[in-house]
Amino acid sequence: MSGEGDDTGGGGAHVQIGSISGGSQAFGSHGTAESTNHTVVVADQQRQHLLAQVRALRGELAGAAERTADDEALDAELGEVEREIGRGGRADTGLLGRLRTRLEQYGAAAATAASVTAVLQAIAQITG
């Protein structure tokens, strides 16, 4: 079917796309489209440093022969800080304050004392 102003060439469908940006498109009766999106959050240097120290301390806690209830509670708070920085590039100052208090009260074994001190110093650089 062709009519005046019809530039389909006499009966076929005509699609013209000027531009497509973002997303996925599929055409045809069996067309499929897939889209994968990745969000990368980049923390500033101080938070990257804190994240590295938190991970180091969590590694030491995980390697301890026996874990106490205090170890478990500390690991849970460290995990929360790690997730917040990893997800949003920062951690809530209230959370950092609670972690600082727990670390100051923590009866750290000699093996983790240096890591506890490193995390406390990294928190101090962020919160002042």
Side-chain angles (χ1 to χ4, degrees), residues 8-98:
T8 63
H14 175 78
V15 175
Q16 182 175 352
I17 300 174
S19 73
I20 297 175
S21 62
S24 299
Q25 293 78 34
F27 302 96
S29 63
H30 299 292
T32 61
E34 293 184 26
S35 181
T36 302
N37 299 305
H38 298 278
T39 301
V40 177
V41 177
V42 179
D44 63 36
Q45 284 186 329
Q46 290 176 325
R47 283 164 184 83
Q48 286 177 347
H49 177 69
L50 173 58
L51 185 57
Q53 299 307 320
V54 164
R55 287 176 174 162
L57 179 52
R58 289 191 80 200
E60 288 186 30
L61 289 171
E66 293 182 31
R67 286 180 60 133
T68 66
D70 286 340
D71 294 338
E72 295 293 336
L74 176 58
D75 186 54
E77 286 200 39
L78 290 167
E80 191 174 348
V81 168
E82 183 177 3
R83 282 186 299 280
E84 282 212 8
I85 294 173
R87 181 176 45 239
R90 51 189 327 104
D92 177 71
T93 55
L95 175 59
L96 293 178
R98 287 191 307 275

